[in-house]
Short mmCIF file of all heavy atoms in Angstrom, two decimals:
data_model
loop_
_atom_site.label_atom_id
_atom_site.label_comp_id
_atom_site.label_asym_id
_atom_site.label_seq_id
_atom_site.Cartn_x
_atom_site.Cartn_y
_atom_site.Cartn_z
N LEU A 246 -138.00 -183.72 164.54
CA LEU A 246 -136.73 -184.24 164.04
C LEU A 246 -136.39 -183.84 162.66
O LEU A 246 -137.21 -183.44 161.89
CB LEU A 246 -136.77 -185.84 164.11
CG LEU A 246 -137.00 -186.52 165.44
CD1 LEU A 246 -137.11 -187.93 165.31
CD2 LEU A 246 -135.82 -186.18 166.40
N PRO A 247 -134.99 -183.86 162.29
CA PRO A 247 -134.68 -183.38 160.98
C PRO A 247 -135.19 -184.42 159.93
O PRO A 247 -135.45 -185.57 160.18
CB PRO A 247 -133.02 -183.58 161.05
CG PRO A 247 -132.74 -183.56 162.56
CD PRO A 247 -133.97 -184.14 163.19
N ALA A 248 -135.43 -183.89 158.75
CA ALA A 248 -135.99 -184.70 157.72
C ALA A 248 -135.00 -185.69 157.10
O ALA A 248 -133.75 -185.41 157.15
CB ALA A 248 -136.62 -183.73 156.54
N LYS A 249 -135.42 -186.74 156.57
CA LYS A 249 -134.55 -187.79 155.94
C LYS A 249 -133.81 -187.13 154.84
O LYS A 249 -134.33 -186.37 153.96
CB LYS A 249 -135.40 -188.95 155.54
CG LYS A 249 -134.54 -190.22 155.06
CD LYS A 249 -135.45 -191.36 154.89
CE LYS A 249 -134.58 -192.63 154.67
NZ LYS A 249 -135.42 -193.80 154.41
N GLY A 250 -132.55 -187.36 154.88
CA GLY A 250 -131.55 -186.82 153.79
C GLY A 250 -130.85 -185.65 154.38
O GLY A 250 -129.83 -185.28 153.68
N GLU A 251 -131.23 -185.08 155.48
CA GLU A 251 -130.53 -184.06 156.11
C GLU A 251 -129.32 -184.52 156.73
O GLU A 251 -129.21 -185.72 157.22
CB GLU A 251 -131.29 -183.30 157.13
CG GLU A 251 -132.49 -182.53 156.57
CD GLU A 251 -132.13 -181.30 155.76
OE1 GLU A 251 -131.06 -180.70 156.10
OE2 GLU A 251 -132.83 -180.97 154.76
N LEU A 252 -128.13 -183.80 156.96
CA LEU A 252 -126.97 -184.31 157.52
C LEU A 252 -127.12 -184.67 159.05
O LEU A 252 -126.40 -185.63 159.38
CB LEU A 252 -125.84 -183.11 157.38
CG LEU A 252 -125.39 -182.80 155.98
CD1 LEU A 252 -124.45 -181.63 156.11
CD2 LEU A 252 -124.57 -184.00 155.43
N ASP A 253 -128.12 -184.06 159.60
CA ASP A 253 -128.27 -184.42 161.09
C ASP A 253 -129.48 -185.33 161.27
O ASP A 253 -129.89 -185.56 162.40
CB ASP A 253 -128.55 -183.12 161.90
CG ASP A 253 -129.59 -182.27 161.38
OD1 ASP A 253 -129.99 -182.41 160.20
OD2 ASP A 253 -130.15 -181.34 162.04
N TYR A 254 -129.82 -186.06 160.17
CA TYR A 254 -130.98 -187.02 160.30
C TYR A 254 -130.70 -188.09 161.23
O TYR A 254 -129.61 -188.57 161.36
CB TYR A 254 -131.31 -187.54 158.93
CG TYR A 254 -132.33 -188.59 158.88
CD1 TYR A 254 -133.69 -188.35 159.10
CD2 TYR A 254 -131.94 -189.92 158.75
CE1 TYR A 254 -134.65 -189.36 159.12
CE2 TYR A 254 -132.97 -190.97 158.85
CZ TYR A 254 -134.26 -190.73 158.91
OH TYR A 254 -135.20 -191.70 158.95
N ILE A 255 -131.71 -188.49 162.04
CA ILE A 255 -131.63 -189.67 162.90
C ILE A 255 -132.91 -190.51 162.68
O ILE A 255 -133.94 -189.90 162.63
CB ILE A 255 -131.42 -189.34 164.46
CG1 ILE A 255 -131.29 -190.68 165.17
CG2 ILE A 255 -132.51 -188.46 164.93
CD1 ILE A 255 -130.90 -190.37 166.72
N GLU A 256 -132.71 -191.82 162.58
CA GLU A 256 -133.90 -192.68 162.29
C GLU A 256 -134.80 -192.48 163.60
O GLU A 256 -134.42 -192.85 164.78
CB GLU A 256 -133.47 -194.14 162.23
CG GLU A 256 -134.57 -195.11 161.88
CD GLU A 256 -135.06 -194.89 160.54
OE1 GLU A 256 -134.34 -194.39 159.63
OE2 GLU A 256 -136.26 -195.28 160.20
N PRO A 257 -136.04 -192.20 163.47
CA PRO A 257 -137.00 -192.16 164.59
C PRO A 257 -137.12 -193.37 165.36
O PRO A 257 -137.12 -194.36 164.81
CB PRO A 257 -138.30 -191.86 163.97
CG PRO A 257 -138.00 -191.15 162.57
CD PRO A 257 -136.74 -191.87 162.14
N GLY A 258 -137.02 -193.25 166.66
CA GLY A 258 -137.14 -194.31 167.54
C GLY A 258 -135.82 -195.05 167.90
O GLY A 258 -135.75 -195.98 168.62
N THR A 259 -134.72 -194.52 167.33
CA THR A 259 -133.37 -195.03 167.66
C THR A 259 -132.67 -194.19 168.66
O THR A 259 -133.01 -193.04 169.02
CB THR A 259 -132.47 -195.08 166.38
OG1 THR A 259 -132.28 -193.81 165.83
CG2 THR A 259 -133.16 -195.89 165.39
N GLY A 260 -131.55 -194.74 169.23
CA GLY A 260 -130.71 -194.04 170.23
C GLY A 260 -129.52 -193.38 169.55
O GLY A 260 -128.98 -193.90 168.43
N ASP A 261 -129.03 -192.36 170.19
CA ASP A 261 -127.73 -191.76 169.72
C ASP A 261 -126.60 -192.41 170.33
O ASP A 261 -126.78 -193.51 171.05
CB ASP A 261 -127.83 -190.23 169.98
CG ASP A 261 -127.90 -189.88 171.48
OD1 ASP A 261 -127.53 -190.76 172.25
OD2 ASP A 261 -128.30 -188.75 171.73
N ASP A 262 -125.38 -191.86 170.19
CA ASP A 262 -124.16 -192.51 170.67
C ASP A 262 -124.12 -192.54 172.32
O ASP A 262 -123.37 -193.27 172.82
CB ASP A 262 -122.84 -191.71 170.11
CG ASP A 262 -122.93 -190.31 170.45
OD1 ASP A 262 -123.78 -189.79 171.01
OD2 ASP A 262 -121.87 -189.70 170.06
N LEU A 263 -124.95 -191.70 172.82
CA LEU A 263 -124.90 -191.78 174.38
C LEU A 263 -126.05 -192.67 174.86
O LEU A 263 -126.17 -192.91 176.02
CB LEU A 263 -125.15 -190.41 174.96
CG LEU A 263 -123.92 -189.41 174.84
CD1 LEU A 263 -124.39 -188.04 175.38
CD2 LEU A 263 -122.68 -189.99 175.63
N GLY A 264 -126.99 -193.06 174.05
CA GLY A 264 -128.14 -193.88 174.39
C GLY A 264 -129.39 -193.12 174.62
O GLY A 264 -130.36 -193.60 175.08
N VAL A 265 -129.51 -191.74 174.28
CA VAL A 265 -130.61 -191.01 174.32
C VAL A 265 -131.57 -191.51 173.12
O VAL A 265 -131.17 -191.51 172.07
CB VAL A 265 -130.40 -189.44 174.21
CG1 VAL A 265 -131.66 -188.76 174.12
CG2 VAL A 265 -129.56 -188.99 175.33
N ARG A 266 -132.89 -191.74 173.40
CA ARG A 266 -133.80 -192.23 172.47
C ARG A 266 -134.48 -190.97 171.76
O ARG A 266 -134.97 -190.19 172.54
CB ARG A 266 -134.69 -193.17 173.00
CG ARG A 266 -134.00 -194.48 173.50
CD ARG A 266 -135.05 -195.34 174.29
NE ARG A 266 -135.34 -194.76 175.48
CZ ARG A 266 -136.17 -195.39 176.39
NH1 ARG A 266 -136.72 -196.58 176.11
NH2 ARG A 266 -136.63 -194.74 177.55
N TRP A 267 -134.64 -190.90 170.48
CA TRP A 267 -135.12 -189.82 169.76
C TRP A 267 -136.49 -190.20 169.17
O TRP A 267 -136.45 -191.14 168.27
CB TRP A 267 -134.20 -189.16 168.85
CG TRP A 267 -132.96 -188.57 169.54
CD1 TRP A 267 -131.96 -189.14 170.12
CD2 TRP A 267 -132.88 -187.11 169.80
NE1 TRP A 267 -131.05 -188.22 170.60
CE2 TRP A 267 -131.71 -187.02 170.52
CE3 TRP A 267 -133.65 -185.94 169.53
CZ2 TRP A 267 -131.20 -185.76 171.00
CZ3 TRP A 267 -133.19 -184.78 169.93
CH2 TRP A 267 -131.99 -184.59 170.60
N HIS A 268 -137.55 -189.46 169.23
CA HIS A 268 -138.76 -189.73 168.58
C HIS A 268 -139.41 -188.50 168.03
O HIS A 268 -139.28 -187.42 168.65
CB HIS A 268 -139.82 -190.43 169.60
CG HIS A 268 -139.36 -191.75 170.06
ND1 HIS A 268 -139.86 -192.85 169.48
CD2 HIS A 268 -138.59 -192.10 171.09
CE1 HIS A 268 -139.30 -193.93 170.14
NE2 HIS A 268 -138.52 -193.54 171.20
N PRO A 269 -140.16 -188.54 167.00
CA PRO A 269 -140.85 -187.42 166.48
C PRO A 269 -142.01 -186.96 167.47
O PRO A 269 -142.56 -187.80 168.14
CB PRO A 269 -141.46 -187.87 165.10
CG PRO A 269 -141.45 -189.31 165.19
CD PRO A 269 -140.29 -189.75 166.12
N ILE A 270 -142.26 -185.74 167.55
CA ILE A 270 -143.29 -185.14 168.56
C ILE A 270 -144.61 -185.79 168.22
O ILE A 270 -145.38 -185.87 169.20
CB ILE A 270 -143.23 -183.63 168.37
CG1 ILE A 270 -144.05 -183.07 169.59
CG2 ILE A 270 -143.94 -183.18 167.06
CD1 ILE A 270 -143.34 -183.19 170.88
N GLU A 271 -144.96 -186.21 167.02
CA GLU A 271 -146.23 -186.81 166.74
C GLU A 271 -146.40 -188.13 167.57
O GLU A 271 -147.59 -188.54 167.70
CB GLU A 271 -146.34 -187.15 165.19
CG GLU A 271 -146.40 -185.87 164.37
CD GLU A 271 -145.06 -185.29 164.11
OE1 GLU A 271 -144.02 -185.97 164.47
OE2 GLU A 271 -144.95 -184.09 163.57
N GLN A 272 -145.41 -188.75 167.97
CA GLN A 272 -145.51 -190.02 168.67
C GLN A 272 -145.79 -189.77 170.22
O GLN A 272 -145.93 -190.72 171.06
CB GLN A 272 -144.30 -191.01 168.54
CG GLN A 272 -144.24 -191.29 167.04
CD GLN A 272 -143.03 -192.24 166.79
OE1 GLN A 272 -142.17 -192.54 167.81
NE2 GLN A 272 -142.79 -192.75 165.60
N TYR A 273 -145.57 -188.53 170.70
CA TYR A 273 -145.71 -188.21 172.06
C TYR A 273 -147.07 -188.62 172.66
O TYR A 273 -147.03 -189.17 173.84
CB TYR A 273 -145.44 -186.74 172.35
CG TYR A 273 -145.67 -186.32 173.71
CD1 TYR A 273 -144.75 -186.49 174.69
CD2 TYR A 273 -146.81 -185.59 174.12
CE1 TYR A 273 -144.99 -186.13 176.06
CE2 TYR A 273 -147.07 -185.16 175.29
CZ TYR A 273 -146.20 -185.38 176.36
OH TYR A 273 -146.38 -184.93 177.55
N PRO A 274 -148.15 -188.22 172.19
CA PRO A 274 -149.41 -188.63 172.90
C PRO A 274 -149.54 -189.97 173.14
O PRO A 274 -149.97 -190.37 174.31
CB PRO A 274 -150.57 -188.03 171.88
CG PRO A 274 -149.79 -186.99 171.09
CD PRO A 274 -148.41 -187.51 170.94
N ASP A 275 -149.42 -190.89 172.35
CA ASP A 275 -149.59 -192.37 172.49
C ASP A 275 -148.63 -192.79 173.59
O ASP A 275 -149.03 -193.69 174.44
CB ASP A 275 -149.37 -193.08 171.16
CG ASP A 275 -150.54 -193.08 170.24
OD1 ASP A 275 -151.65 -192.67 170.75
OD2 ASP A 275 -150.33 -193.31 169.06
N PHE A 276 -147.34 -192.31 173.50
CA PHE A 276 -146.43 -192.83 174.42
C PHE A 276 -146.83 -192.40 175.93
O PHE A 276 -146.74 -193.17 176.76
CB PHE A 276 -144.97 -192.27 174.02
CG PHE A 276 -143.81 -192.75 174.98
CD1 PHE A 276 -143.11 -193.92 174.81
CD2 PHE A 276 -143.60 -191.93 176.16
CE1 PHE A 276 -142.10 -194.25 175.76
CE2 PHE A 276 -142.63 -192.24 177.05
CZ PHE A 276 -141.81 -193.44 176.78
N ILE A 277 -146.95 -191.10 176.13
CA ILE A 277 -147.14 -190.41 177.42
C ILE A 277 -148.45 -190.88 178.07
O ILE A 277 -148.49 -190.94 179.34
CB ILE A 277 -146.95 -188.93 177.36
CG1 ILE A 277 -146.45 -188.52 178.79
CG2 ILE A 277 -148.20 -188.29 176.94
CD1 ILE A 277 -145.05 -188.96 179.13
N THR A 278 -149.43 -191.24 177.26
CA THR A 278 -150.73 -191.67 177.93
C THR A 278 -150.67 -193.21 178.30
O THR A 278 -151.48 -193.58 179.09
CB THR A 278 -151.85 -191.39 176.99
OG1 THR A 278 -151.57 -192.03 175.64
CG2 THR A 278 -152.11 -189.89 176.79
N ASN A 279 -149.68 -193.87 177.80
CA ASN A 279 -149.66 -195.33 178.09
C ASN A 279 -148.36 -195.80 178.76
O ASN A 279 -148.27 -196.90 179.01
CB ASN A 279 -149.71 -196.14 176.70
CG ASN A 279 -151.13 -195.85 176.15
OD1 ASN A 279 -152.18 -196.36 176.59
ND2 ASN A 279 -151.11 -195.07 175.02
#
């Protein structure tokens, strides 16, 4: 995800205007294994 302060920054774990949820790749292992 873009770094905080960038124009395209999105708060990790939130949804966009369509409802797609965005997470940093570092959170993938815990999510997908559980």
Side-chain angles (χ1 to χ4, degrees):
L246 297 180
K249 193 169 185 178
E251 295 290 328
L252 292 174
D253 54 343
Y254 173 75
I255 182 171
E256 184 71 28
T259 61
D261 60 23
D262 55 357
L263 288 177
V265 176
R266 294 172 294 184
W267 293 79
H268 294 268
I270 193 67
E271 292 80 11
Q272 294 179 0
Y273 171 80
D275 285 343
F276 179 92
I277 205 63
T278 54
N279 294 288

